[in-house]
Amino acid sequence: MSTQAPPAPGTTPGWSAGFKRRIPFYILIALLFSLLAGALVFIYLEDARSRMLPSRKVVIASVDISPGTVLTAEHLTLQNVPEGIVPDRVFQDTGQAIGRTAAIPILAKQVILDSFFVGAATSGLSTRLPDGRWGMVLPGDWLASPAPESLPGDRFDLLVYQPGRPADEAGVVVSNVQLLEGGTGSNLFTFAVTIEEAKSILYARSNGFTLMLLLRPDGT
């Protein structure tokens, strides 16, 4: 009777083949260590920066806010701001701003101040003027036609021309000035202007130029 030959004994894979199978594992471990090292460096640098620049957590706008908006929690967030640039009367709790009505446009990431709201004790016009600007009132009867429908925060160009002169001599004398007070239905328009812009408007008016307000498209 014949007997079946036993199977050939298996061979142990060489070290080279085993190493090649483990290459993806080694790459994954290297990537994980790299990410961990990067995270640790970031945490260290942030900690060092915070020690060098003391900061305070304050309320900022999380989105752009239009005048007349009643603020909710969705409009606000808390963020650390370097102590040296924190203005006076800053809010440190979102509850201080929730339910308040915005009196002026508030930009996303802007620090929230009490003077931004209707009824604030410090919400006088002088506290709402942008840096380097003065408030100038333009009477509606200076204009050749009614102003476009508008709200505080809108921006205008001022077109001037002299009656009887060619139309191509008309030109924009002041550009991109912000309306602070007035608007639809008002006969007085308060703009934030530089001294040079105020002089240009006064010169045009005193020399018989006719004035016309042009409402700029949103975001321009």
Side-chain angles (χ1 to χ4, degrees):
M1 174 183 282
S2 62
T3 58
Q4 187 174 359
T11 58
T12 302
W15 69 269
S16 178
F19 176 78
K20 288 179 180 179
R21 286 200 303 270
R22 292 183 177 86
I23 285 177
F25 173 74
Y26 296 147
I27 292 175
L28 178 61
I29 292 298
L31 288 174
L32 290 175
F33 274 111
S34 296
L35 292 174
L36 178 61
L40 291 175
V41 169
F42 176 79
I43 293 171
Y44 171 78
L45 292 177
E46 283 295 299
D47 182 63
R49 184 179 64 84
S50 64
R51 288 198 302 268
M52 294 173 60
L53 293 174
S55 60
R56 194 193 328 172
K57 189 161 286 190
V58 301
V59 180
I60 67 169
S62 56
V63 295
D64 291 339
I65 301 170
S66 302
T69 301
V70 178
L71 271 64
T72 66
E74 286 71 27
H75 295 113
L76 307 165
T77 188
L78 289 171
Q79 182 172 307
N80 283 320
V81 175
E83 187 76 35
I85 63 171
V86 174
D88 294 334
R89 301 183 302 277
V90 69
F91 288 173
Q92 295 182 272
D93 186 333
T94 56
Q96 295 175 274
I98 291 174
R100 303 284 296 274
T101 301
I104 61 172
I106 304 172
L107 301 178
K109 306 300 182 183
Q110 189 171 3
V111 175
I112 300 294
L113 303 177
D114 182 65
S115 58
F116 292 174
F117 300 105
V118 173
T122 56
S123 60
L125 181 59
S126 62
T127 67
R128 294 186 277 126
L129 285 168
D131 290 343
R133 296 292 189 274
W134 280 257
M136 180 178 186
V137 176
L138 187 68
D141 56 12
W142 283 19
L143 304 175
S145 63
E149 182 177 344
S150 56
L151 290 170
D154 286 335
R155 292 182 175 273
F156 288 84
D157 292 347
L158 185 64
L159 182 73
V160 301
Y161 71 98
Q162 281 188 312
R165 303 295 299 174
D168 59 5
E169 292 186 9
V172 173
V173 67
V174 171
S175 179
N176 199 22
V177 291
Q178 181 183 351
L179 180 65
L180 297 175
E181 291 184 349
T184 303
S186 176
N187 194 45
L188 295 174
F189 302 86
T190 303
F191 291 100
V193 298
T194 65
I195 290 295
E196 293 304 317
E197 289 169 338
K199 289 179 180 178
S200 297
I201 296 171
L202 182 60
Y203 175 86
R205 171 65 181 175
S206 62
N207 283 275
F209 285 83
T210 300
L211 313 179
M212 180 179 293
L213 286 176
L214 304 177
L215 179 64
R216 295 177 66 91
D218 185 37
T220 65

